[in-house]
Amino acid sequence: MLKSKTFLKKTRAGGVMKIVREHYLRDDIGCGAAGCTACGGAHEGPALEPQPQDPASSLCPQPHYLLPDTNVLLHQIDVLEDPAIRNVIVLQTVLQEVRNRSAPVYKRIRDVTNNQEKHFYTFTNEHHRETYVEQEQGENANDRNDRAIRVAAKWYNEHLKKMSADNQLQVIFITNDRKNKEKAVEEGIPAFTCEEYVKSLTANPELIDRLACLSEEGNEIESGKIIFSEHLPLSKLQQGIKSGTYLQGTFRASRENYLEATVWIHGDNEENKEIILQGLKHLNRAVHEDIVAVELLPKSQWVAPSSVVLHDEGQNEDDVEKEEEREQMLKTAVSEKMLKPTGRVVGIIKRNWRPYCGMLSKSDIKESRRHLFTPADKRIPRIRIETRQASTLEGRRIIVAIDGWPRNSRYPNGHFVKNLGDVGEKETETEVLLLEHDVPHQPFSQAVLSFLPKMPWSITEKDMKNREDLRHLCICSVDPPGCTDIDDALHCRELENGNLEVGVHIADVSHFIRPGNALDQESARRGTTVYLCEKRIDMVPELLSSNLCSLKCDVDRLAFSCIWEMNHSAEILKTKFTKSVINSKASLTYAEAQLRIDSANMRDDITTSLRGLNKLAKILKKKRIEKGALTLSSPEVRFHMDSETHDPIDLQTKELRETNSMVEEFMLLANISVAKKIHEEFSEHALLRKHPAPPPSNYEILVKAAKSRNLEIKTDTAKSLAESLDRAESPTFPYLNTLLRILATRCMMQAVYFCSGMDNDFHHYGLASPIYTHFTSPIRRYADVIVHRLLAVAIGADCTYPELTDKHKLADICKNLNYRHKMAQYAQRASVAFHTQLFFKSKGIVSEEAYILFVRKNAIVVLIPKYGLEGTVFFEEKDKPNPRLIYDDEIPSLKIEDTVFHVFDKVKVKIMLDSSNLQHQKIRMSLVEPQIPGISIPPDNISNMNLNGPEKKKMKFEK
């Protein structure tokens, strides 16, 4: 049956266009109930159970299916995802509305629908002859959709009666809309609110905690003083932004001070790029990463960023007077030039809430169900939740979602989502750090795995098309020990004309990951493999990462090869790119390769190849450094794990060998060669990587630190910086040069991916290269997969596709990749920090030599070379008299009583694990030498330090 939909659409030119769409109605759409004779199995895919074995409901004891409306799906997704809720009918009307209103919820509902154990069925009610409804005159779209949902619910109940005479099956309509529920009951449809239904499931009381509490701003609890001003509606905000009354930006809360935040204003030509907000009322219920509208305050009300450290630890939930006292503390007398543009939040344009990890701060009131939840991320406010399982959740990591933030509440309201496990346990803490850094780490879905090659896999004739057979070459790989995802392999041989042929062979991942399929989409979403201390979160499934793509020895593998002809001075004479088949002759570790190069009696082909590569790499490195490339340093640590418990038993800085540098040189050369090639072919849409030069102010700390040691560091160009770092040696202090290089690393900007058509500055500062990209690690970086595709099209080895030549799509990919790489870096650091804590937990208290990296107003930041560990030694403690501190920003130095500390001074510190705050356990450092009365800890006075006592519940207030 054919219906037609007609609507009018305004064109860009201002005209009106009539659009007529054909809409087919069918009578062969199945109801989804397995074994339904009336439908005759018209439906396919996951179906509803014929006799639902769901938990008994006191409201509806007979077997039933659930049919939720749009708002239930949008707001109560945590309840619907619970294993206790099964046999749910998701209407097409509802799914379309959810898709338009929330992409994350839509994705979650699709995942649940694909989970066969849940028995969720999508019913195409908009194309079913008996459930399609047309919009009536005077009826708005919302009311029409509500009616369509009721019509479908009524049809289901009548349809299910046809299954058999004694059939008790019912469809229950779940809605939180009072009017819609009343209409449904009038029409004879069994209907309940989500809360009524969940509370009726007596066997699953824990489900109640997962209910989102939805008190809308209009229906707030009458009691309670109004604390915050009302958020303006979106229409007014948009008008205000257009007229310049308000500014739109991203709200960034402070980690150090919960009464302060900054808003980064969107747009390039804003003079006030950053606006400060101070005080609860000016923050006006915005949460970190929300998109907000702010109003600039008059200059007389501008403030300076506060130097006070202030954490919200008050137990009294709504003590607003106390907050106002604290706000006064922030207002210190400052000079005019310190004042920054200051504003207040007038409305929220887009909430960017996510599920938050943290711990429950149990209420002091006995039997209370209302408790405060403290997120692990200090930038997120505490959240008030209702739970009946507070005693079991104490001391555990849990996930909570925010539901709303009424004007009369000091904290947002939320609901419990999931219990992750005991605080401090390795699995729990790893899960927390992955969730908090937004690292996608769920197992790969069936949809993704379905695009993997079928095993046993072998190279076919079709695969050999457009490929060179390089299996005869003596190729080998050099990697860290235990590496299973081998991206790259190398070879070097002498040609008949006396020149050298050098090849870099990279795993051909783009052969297996085809554009646009589920595997490609998931790899693009993940963006990078994340390496934690003892776990790897793969970007691609293991079959590819550790097997079919990994260039293991003695097996045929598909590769993308970059082959140069060079003379003995490492000058490139010819460059060739080709897809290939290789067979690696050896998988070596850096140490094994080094042993071969150094061994006098080894002369086999692999060793000869390695020696040739090493010789060329040294020349390449020398040339690069002459051009001004930087060799910086960062202390990387390696944990030695106990083979049984997997706990860290030793911690040491990584040792770098000549072979590390050898591999790095050829990877850099391949990346630069490929960057030039893809930019030649695709000037507008090459995916490249740049490293911006740091602004001069970034170097201040480095220049001052060197000056304090009578050394000069020049920073006008990368070359002058590299040369002055090379000259900055001290015969009496050999570690000084390493410290300067570590400090120089801190001055650098972040390297980023970008699309060549969207930027003019391609320069890579750190490598002193005019153009650069990433080509050599496609198993662990999605950027390299795109670069492989571009190169393959450039040499005619593969076909293109529309997204590859769309610079806006590429720019979006780059944005996601930059975000994922940054988050992976943070997650890796958090993993090192956690394992360091585990190490010192078992090691106890130790004293070690350290060097000062920075001096602060009330502390020194030190580096302990033995462990590559950085930490802060504070000189002001709560409940202790403050010492006399004099800070000089110019030198920089800090005088404590009569002792002066400069950057790079050698000190001795005591390291221990401070577990007084369970949620934020940290390594605590205290000074041992030099001895300062009342500050230093005598070496023998450590046994009586209380590091595990319960922390007093009072405000952290450090100047």
Side-chain angles (χ1 to χ4, degrees), residues 588-600:
L588 307 172
T589 65
Y590 290 118
E592 287 166 350
Q594 194 66 53
L595 281 172
R596 279 175 176 263
I597 290 168
D598 298 341
S599 166

Side-chain angles (χ1 to χ4, degrees), residues 244-454:
T245 319
Y246 306 137
L247 297 165
Q248 175 179 326
T250 306
F251 181 88
R252 301 261 164 89
S254 160
R255 266 197 185 86
E256 313 284 279
N257 185 341
Y258 74 101
L259 294 175
E260 189 169 277
T262 50
V263 171
W264 287 81
I265 301 304
H266 299 169
D268 298 328
N269 51 1
E270 294 297 341
E271 52 197 287
N272 307 320
K273 269 312 267 184
E274 197 183 335
I275 290 176
I276 285 188
L277 312 176
Q278 257 185 22
L280 270 187
K281 292 187 169 118
H282 286 170
L283 301 179
N284 197 3
R285 298 171 287 154
V287 176
H288 184 64
E289 291 294 343
D290 282 350
I291 308 292
V292 297
V294 288
E295 177 182 48
L296 211 55
L297 296 174
K299 279 199 173 177
S300 58
Q301 293 178 40
W302 284 14
V303 297
S306 166
S307 57
V308 174
V309 176
L310 205 55
H311 293 152
D312 178 15
E313 292 188 337
Q315 191 55 27
N316 189 349
E317 296 186 10
D318 291 305
D319 193 348
V320 179
E321 281 74 21
K322 201 164 239 180
E323 305 293 359
E324 285 166 5
E325 274 173 44
R326 293 180 199 177
E327 285 170 24
Q328 288 310 313
M329 292 174 177
L330 304 182
K331 295 175 172 46
T332 47
V334 285
S335 67
E336 194 80 10
K337 65 170 196 245
M338 297 285 282
L339 296 176
K340 292 273 169 77
T342 308
R344 68 185 187 95
V345 171
V346 290
I348 308 290
I349 291 161
K350 181 172 178 274
R351 287 289 194 191
N352 270 326
W353 294 341
R354 60 178 175 85
Y356 301 104
C357 300
M359 291 177 76
L360 199 67
S361 309
K362 202 171 156 209
S363 170
D364 291 341
I365 305 162
K366 245 190 171 173
E367 303 301 314
S368 172
R369 285 181 183 173
R370 302 180 82 190
H371 306 274
L372 278 177
F373 160 83
T374 308
D377 187 339
K378 288 182 178 172
R379 295 169 301 191
I380 306 299
R382 296 159 96 191
I383 302 163
R384 187 185 283 116
I385 66 167
E386 281 197 36
T387 174
R388 288 149 185 75
Q389 35 181 346
S391 42
T392 47
L393 295 179
E394 237 189 331
R396 315 203 78 177
R397 294 274 195 184
I398 61 171
I399 297 180
V400 162
I402 299 180
D403 299 323
W405 196 337
R407 288 173 61 198
N408 58 357
S409 169
R410 165 68 186 83
Y411 296 109
N413 294 327
H415 65 273
F416 166 78
V417 175
K418 191 179 177 189
N419 180 351
L420 293 173
D422 288 332
V423 69
E425 274 192 6
K426 206 180 306 175
E427 287 73 26
T428 308
E429 295 303 327
T430 302
E431 180 75 4
V432 168
L433 78 87
L434 290 170
L435 289 166
E436 282 298 293
H437 293 97
D438 194 14
V439 174
H441 61 286
Q442 291 72 26
F444 289 98
S445 68
Q446 277 312 118
V448 170
L449 298 174
S450 67
F451 286 97
L452 292 175
K454 303 289 170 275

Side-chain angles (χ1 to χ4, degrees), residues 783-817:
D784 305 52
V785 176
I786 296 284
V787 169
H788 275 229
R789 288 175 183 167
L790 287 165
L791 184 62
V793 174
I795 64 167
D798 207 341
C799 49
T800 186
Y801 58 100
E803 285 79 10
L804 193 65
T805 52
D806 180 334
K807 63 181 181 181
H808 298 284
K809 290 262 169 64
L810 267 180
D812 287 344
I813 288 172
C814 290
K815 190 179 173 185
N816 178 55
L817 291 177

Side-chain angles (χ1 to χ4, degrees), residues 595-605 607-608 611:
L595 281 172
R596 279 175 176 263
I597 290 168
D598 298 341
S599 166
N601 48 14
M602 290 191 84
R603 289 188 185 81
D604 58 286
D605 289 349
T607 309
T608 310
R611 285 187 186 134

Side-chain angles (χ1 to χ4, degrees), residues 533 633-639 650-655 735 738-739 742 746 828-829 831-837 839-840 846 848-851 853 861-872 909 911 923 925:
C533 288
S633 180
S634 63
E636 284 196 60
V637 291
R638 194 180 194 98
F639 292 94
D650 195 11
L651 178 63
Q652 65 186 58
T653 46
K654 288 182 187 172
E655 187 188 342
Y735 196 64
T738 306
L739 287 168
I742 289 169
R746 306 294 163 90
Q828 283 153 6
R829 281 182 207 162
S831 178
V832 168
F834 174 64
H835 279 78
T836 308
Q837 287 172 13
F839 172 69
F840 283 108
V846 294
E848 288 296 341
E849 282 183 351
Y851 293 101
L853 275 184
V861 179
V862 297
L863 174 76
I864 297 156
K866 181 175 176 183
Y867 299 126
L869 178 67
E870 206 177 296
T872 307
V909 293
I911 315 160
I923 301 290
M925 294 188 184

Side-chain angles (χ1 to χ4, degrees), residues 173-188:
F173 177 39
I174 305 288
T175 178
N176 289 332
D177 181 330
R178 192 164 37 90
K179 286 180 187 163
N180 204 5
K181 185 188 164 194
E182 284 167 7
K183 283 181 184 170
V185 173
E186 276 170 29
E187 292 167 20

Side-chain angles (χ1 to χ4, degrees), residues 6-228:
T6 308
F7 54 93
L8 302 173
K9 187 182 175 185
K10 200 171 180 183
T11 63
R12 272 189 179 170
V16 174
M17 191 159 70
K18 186 177 180 182
I19 293 176
V20 180
R21 286 224 176 113
E22 291 179 339
H23 189 85
Y24 290 90
L25 298 182
R26 300 164 53 164
D27 41 23
D28 60 348
I29 296 170
C31 70
C36 173
T37 47
C39 296
H43 51 263
E44 286 179 10
L48 303 159
E49 290 178 294
Q51 285 300 312
Q53 301 299 310
D54 290 336
S57 161
S58 54
L59 285 172
C60 182
Q62 62 263 53
H64 55 267
Y65 300 143
L66 300 178
L67 192 150
D69 73 359
T70 309
N71 282 324
V72 170
L73 224 62
L74 278 170
H75 301 299
Q76 306 293 356
I77 180 75
D78 288 321
V79 172
L80 295 170
E81 282 178 332
D82 192 279
I85 303 289
R86 295 155 14 123
N87 293 295
V88 175
I89 298 160
V90 181
L91 297 181
Q92 179 189 1
T93 311
V94 170
L95 204 57
Q96 281 170 347
E97 276 197 274
V98 169
R99 186 179 194 167
N100 293 336
R101 285 169 60 182
S102 171
V105 174
Y106 177 73
K107 186 187 181 305
R108 283 167 75 179
I109 215 71
R110 297 296 309 183
D111 289 346
V112 175
T113 315
N114 291 333
N115 178 354
Q116 302 204 354
E117 289 169 17
K118 291 279 285 173
H119 297 283
F120 273 49
Y121 178 68
T122 308
F123 177 60
T124 325
N125 63 311
E126 294 289 353
H127 289 279
H128 194 288
R129 194 195 291 257
E130 292 177 49
T131 57
Y132 171 71
V133 300
E134 286 197 49
Q135 193 165 342
E136 292 172 355
Q137 214 168 355
E139 184 180 44
N140 66 27
N142 205 28
D143 290 345
R144 179 259 167 213
N145 286 348
D146 284 349
R147 189 161 57 87
I149 295 167
R150 291 197 305 275
V151 165
K154 193 167 186 175
W155 175 84
Y156 254 105
N157 277 318
E158 287 166 4
H159 176 82
L160 291 174
K161 285 175 189 162
K162 299 175 190 170
M163 274 177 75
S164 66
D166 57 343
N167 186 22
Q168 295 272 302
L169 257 176
Q170 263 194 326
V171 166
I172 294 179
F173 177 39
I174 305 288
T175 178
N176 289 332
D177 181 330
R178 192 164 37 90
K179 286 180 187 163
N180 204 5
K181 185 188 164 194
E182 284 167 7
K183 283 181 184 170
V185 173
E186 276 170 29
E187 292 167 20
I189 304 163
F192 302 111
T193 66
C194 193
E195 191 171 345
E196 287 168 346
Y197 180 75
V198 166
K199 284 183 175 171
S200 77
L201 302 176
T202 45
N204 297 79
E206 76 286 347
L207 257 182
I208 299 168
D209 289 351
R210 300 186 74 165
L211 277 169
C213 67
L214 299 165
S215 76
E216 291 302 319
E217 290 217 2
N219 324 330
E220 279 163 12
I221 321 135
E222 277 73 35
S223 64
K225 196 169 115 190
I226 298 290
I227 304 169
F228 300 103

